[in-house]
Amino acid sequence: MTQQPPAQGSPAPGRTDAPGGAGARADDQRGNPATRKEPARLARDTTAENPWPLRLLSSKIDAYVARMTEVWVEAQIVQLNRRAGMSFLTLRDPDAEMSLRASMYRRDLERSERAMGAQLSEGSRVVVHGRPTFWTKGGSLQLQVDDVRPVGEGDLLARIEQLRRILAAEGLFEPERKKPLPFLPGRVGLVCGRDAKAKDDVITNARLRWPGLPFEVREVAVQGVHAVPQVTRAIQELDADPSVDVIVVARGGGGVEDLLPFSDEGLVRAAAAARTPLVSAIGHETDRPLLDYVADYRASTPTDAARRIVPDLAEETVGLDQARERIRVSLSKRIEDEQRRLDQVRERPVMQDPTVIVRDKVVELDHARSRMRRAMTTAIDLAAADLRADHARLTALSPQGVLDRGYAILRKPGGGVIRSADHIRKGDLIEGVLASGRMVAQVVGATKPAPAVPADGG
């Protein structure tokens, strides 16, 4: 199947028959030794004037690939065509979105399947052993496989666990990122397999709970090589639809190999970036693909997802009736309590005869007036007694009172009061102030006051 390159330095076989083209120039070179050029030995020696023919390039690539050693390659089988003598495979790297054609003899394929105890199928993750080859006519690289082995489940789980730790360290699993699901979505986006039971489980159970609930369904591949891009695209489309209030990704369980797409890093990051609340209903109780960790709600089954995304109309109706009954009872009790209080108010005497309160206030006012009058009278009497006492004291202490008792005040003509005989002389005129009226007199004599006697008798 591999073509051997021509010996370096010799003209490559084949020709181009276009008139005036490279074939014509090659004929001229072969026919005219003076104009014939040797092709460049190395690629870096080629020029625009001395290029390599395409067949020479293909033969050199074939020679280079032929020197490669056998290699083990991990990939996913995208396509498998079994033929009588040779089987053809298309291998794909799910993380790099690249593919490579491979071929395998029927006997080698059957031997590998016997060793595995199972038949290979599209979507299987495998490790293949083979040698790279280059098909010169088609200009394509392929792999000649002689052994196929399945990727161990333990290896797959270890890789998923490693990715889980990376995403957890980025905070994509934190509860604070979870968006609350709406109480009653206007429209539900559903991502599921084509004609899958999970689709019927979600739609039927959701509409049993809330009849007429509208759905926006995206039927995609939920396992195999096309699952990751199709599920990712469906999530992004539904997230961009403003009428979709919640997205459900449903599958309904499966083996580790079947659930691998829902642990793909690209799909998981697309789900984490969705602004619409997302429900993951991929596996069963024991299945935990990485999509479950970033989803806003993880449902154990598609039926559980249907119960979670919408309320039960019957239960809500019963609850509404119960709430209405509680409100009615509460209002009735409140009205009865208020009626009882009103009756108690109406039974009071003042409500029987409203003038009672006025009469009581009149009596209280009369009593207050009487108390005020007595208090004022007492206060006035006490003030009058005090005034009389003060008047008596003032009268007794006033000069007029002294005069009324028969005394007189003697003053000099200038108005000064005479307090001692030393202040007057014989012949002075003096004025006498009596209790009633005044008089003028002349001093005919005065007696000097006796000198003061010291206290110690000396």
Side-chain angles (χ1 to χ4, degrees):
M1 184 164 184
T2 303
Q3 295 183 359
Q4 297 298 328
Q8 295 184 359
S10 60
R15 57 177 293 176
T16 302
D17 297 329
R25 289 198 301 272
D27 291 340
D28 293 340
Q29 291 173 358
R30 286 192 294 270
N32 187 357
T35 61
R36 184 168 61 242
K37 291 183 179 180
E38 294 293 332
R41 187 174 66 86
L42 299 176
R44 65 172 178 266
D45 297 332
T46 59
T47 63
E49 292 74 19
N50 189 22
W52 275 356
L54 182 60
R55 59 183 176 274
L56 179 57
L57 174 62
S58 296
S59 65
K60 287 186 175 292
I61 294 176
D62 182 33
Y64 179 82
V65 172
R67 291 196 296 269
M68 293 184 64
T69 60
E70 297 178 341
V71 62
W72 286 97
V73 178
E74 179 185 347
Q76 187 177 25
I77 297 178
V78 177
Q79 189 175 9
L80 174 59
N81 293 326
R82 298 173 184 268
R83 302 290 177 84
M86 182 75 71
S87 295
F88 298 95
L89 306 86
T90 301
L91 304 177
R92 175 178 176 271
D93 186 333
D95 297 328
E97 295 294 333
M98 60 178 298
S99 301
L100 178 66
R101 295 183 180 276
S103 59
M104 189 175 186
Y105 287 109
R106 177 72 175 271
R107 61 178 182 277
D108 293 334
L109 178 60
E110 293 177 348
R111 173 176 50 79
S112 298
E113 289 179 336
R114 285 195 301 270
M116 290 187 295
Q119 195 173 40
L120 288 176
S121 61
E122 295 178 354
S124 300
R125 295 287 289 267
V126 294
V127 175
V128 301
H129 180 266
R131 180 185 296 275
T133 62
F134 185 74
W135 186 35
T136 56
K137 290 186 177 181
S140 61
L141 183 70
Q142 65 179 17
L143 191 64
Q144 180 62 46
V145 178
D146 56 22
D147 192 8
V148 180
R149 300 179 186 180
V151 174
E153 182 175 312
D155 294 337
L156 295 176
L157 294 178
R159 294 177 189 176
I160 293 175
E161 177 60 22
Q162 181 182 7
L163 179 58
R164 188 193 68 79
R165 288 195 295 267
I166 293 174
L167 298 178
E170 295 180 13
L172 297 185
F173 302 159
E174 294 299 324
E176 293 78 10
R177 297 187 71 260
K178 308 295 184 184
K179 297 176 285 294
L181 302 184
F183 172 73
L184 179 60
R187 183 178 296 274
V188 178
L190 176 60
V191 181
C192 60
R194 297 179 178 86
D195 299 324
K197 185 176 182 298
K199 172 185 174 182
D200 295 334
D201 288 345
V202 174
I203 295 178
T204 301
N205 286 283
R207 286 177 174 168
L208 284 175
R209 295 170 63 83
W210 198 273
L213 179 69
F215 277 84
E216 186 69 26
V217 181
R218 294 290 186 274
E219 293 185 347
V220 297
V222 292
Q223 70 181 57
V225 295
H226 303 294
V228 171
Q230 291 186 13
V231 173
T232 302
R233 185 167 56 252
I235 291 176
Q236 294 171 343
E237 289 177 358
L238 293 175
D239 184 46
D241 189 343
S243 67
V244 174
D245 296 326
V246 63
I247 300 173
V248 179
V249 182
R251 187 188 188 283
V256 174
E257 186 78 18
D258 298 331
L259 299 182
L260 279 179
F262 300 98
S263 292
D264 180 83
E265 182 176 0
L267 188 151
V268 171
R269 291 189 181 277
R275 294 168 295 179
T276 307
L278 188 140
V279 176
S280 173
I282 301 303
H284 295 297
E285 206 57 55
T286 57
D287 302 327
R288 292 302 299 268
L290 295 183
L291 182 63
D292 285 353
Y293 292 93
V294 299
D296 299 299
Y297 179 80
R298 188 251 178 186
S300 58
T301 61
T303 302
D304 179 44
R307 289 196 296 265
R308 185 63 183 86
I309 59 176
V310 291
D312 190 330
L313 180 59
E315 292 180 1
E316 296 301 321
T317 302
V318 171
L320 186 61
D321 292 340
Q322 293 174 348
R324 186 185 297 113
E325 180 63 19
R326 289 194 298 271
I327 293 174
R328 188 192 65 78
V329 171
S330 178
L331 287 177
S332 299
K333 185 176 182 302
R334 181 67 179 271
I335 292 174
E336 291 174 358
D337 292 342
E338 295 300 326
Q339 184 63 49
R340 184 172 60 256
R341 294 190 183 95
L342 182 60
D343 293 340
Q344 292 174 352
V345 171
R346 293 175 59 187
E347 290 173 357
R348 294 177 181 176
V350 68
M351 299 304 294
Q352 300 294 327
D353 183 7
T355 60
V356 170
I357 188 171
V358 178
R359 291 198 300 270
D360 291 344
K361 295 300 180 182
V362 170
V363 172
E364 291 178 5
L365 184 61
D366 291 340
H367 291 166
R369 188 183 295 112
S370 298
R371 290 193 299 271
M372 186 181 297
R373 185 180 293 111
R374 288 194 297 270
M376 291 295 293
T377 300
T378 301
I380 293 173
D381 292 343
L382 292 176
D386 293 340
L387 182 60
R388 287 192 297 272
D390 292 339
H391 183 269
R393 285 193 294 273
L394 290 174
T395 301
L397 297 175
S398 67
Q400 185 64 41
V402 175
L403 295 176
D404 289 340
R405 291 196 296 274
Y407 294 94
I409 300 174
L410 299 179
R411 294 188 301 186
K412 291 181 179 181
V417 178
I418 300 173
R419 292 183 174 84
S420 174
D422 292 338
H423 297 165
I424 59 175
R425 294 188 301 273
K426 182 180 177 179
D428 288 343
L429 293 177
I430 60 176
E431 179 184 13
V433 180
L434 305 177
S436 177
R438 292 189 170 99
M439 69 172 189
V440 177
Q442 187 175 20
V443 178
V444 294
T447 303
K448 301 296 182 180
V453 180
D456 57 358

